[in-house]
Amino acid sequence: MLLVELNRGELHDVEAPASFATDEPFSVELRNHGEAVHVHVRADDDLAAAARVDVDGNLFVERETTQSVPVGVGPVDEPVTGLLEIATGYGSETRTVEVTVEPPDVDDPVDVDETLSRPPEPVSESDTTPLGERIAGVLPGRSAAPVVLLGLVALGVAAAVANAVRDPAVLVGAGVVVGAVLVALVVVFR
């Protein structure tokens, strides 16, 4: 944001910084401290190669208000410097700001750790983990034991009821119970 003060000291007075640098679109904020005033903002030919003022003609800035003038910035490979002219009182008061449009900073530094300079340690192809530890890693923990036990009981009850009744609806219900228990066991063993 480039702040420009208007009418702070006297009518048509323009206060702006001498220079401004950016690598992205910005706005010229016209802050009026006094009477309403016409303001013209334009980029010279050098600056127009990299930036464009997104308003046409004169702007009317009401008394004691701030008006924003968007300035678009195009991509540049190297810095482009030009002048942005702000004029009031139909050109009776003019200030210029040297604006530099810089290329975007895309070269973020990368911290390189010392470990990157050493070759990686070879990975052993054979797994030397004892069989007991591998089995213990697959089995659920103590907190899952009640779920597994309940699942086994549900399977037993569903099989017993389906075997005793031998009705197609009961067989479908038992199948649903078996499927739900299998899904629960898969979730527990993950």
Side-chain angles (χ1 to χ4, degrees):
M1 174 182 78
L2 173 61
L3 180 62
V4 176
E5 306 284 356
L6 304 172
N7 296 331
R8 189 157 39 183
E10 59 185 47
L11 184 62
H12 301 300
D13 191 27
V14 179
E15 297 174 27
S19 63
F20 180 77
T22 186
D23 64 351
E24 60 187 12
F26 64 98
S27 64
V28 178
E29 298 296 314
L30 302 170
R31 184 179 295 164
N32 188 0
H33 295 276
E35 296 297 321
V37 64
H38 285 276
V39 181
H40 186 73
V41 179
R42 76 167 197 89
D44 72 353
D45 291 338
D46 292 336
L47 183 58
R52 71 184 179 290
V53 178
D54 292 338
V55 294
D56 294 323
N58 285 327
L59 299 160
F60 186 72
V61 183
E62 296 283 341
R63 148 183 222 157
E64 303 292 330
T65 63
T66 300
Q67 186 165 346
S68 182
V69 178
V71 178
V73 172
V76 295
D77 295 328
E78 56 186 48
V80 174
T81 301
L83 297 177
L84 185 69
E85 181 180 276
I86 301 112
T88 63
Y90 301 101
S92 65
E93 286 290 326
T94 302
R95 290 292 177 268
T96 56
V97 178
E98 184 179 77
V99 176
T100 302
V101 177
E102 300 170 341
D105 185 22
V106 293
D107 297 329
D108 292 333
V110 176
D111 293 331
V112 178
D113 191 354
E114 293 174 6
T115 58
L116 292 176
S117 65
R118 287 185 243 132
E121 295 180 16
V123 178
S124 174
E125 292 297 323
S126 64
D127 189 4
T128 59
T129 307
L131 180 61
E133 287 182 27
R134 281 191 266 165
I135 291 173
V138 173
L139 293 176
R142 288 184 186 253
S143 62
V147 174
V148 172
L149 185 61
L150 183 63
L152 292 175
V153 169
L155 286 176
V157 169
V161 169
N163 189 33
V165 175
R166 297 194 185 255
D167 184 276
V170 172
L171 287 175
V172 170
V176 169
V177 169
V178 169
V181 168
L182 290 176
V183 169
L185 289 175
V186 168
V187 170
V188 166
F189 280 101
R190 268 195 164 167

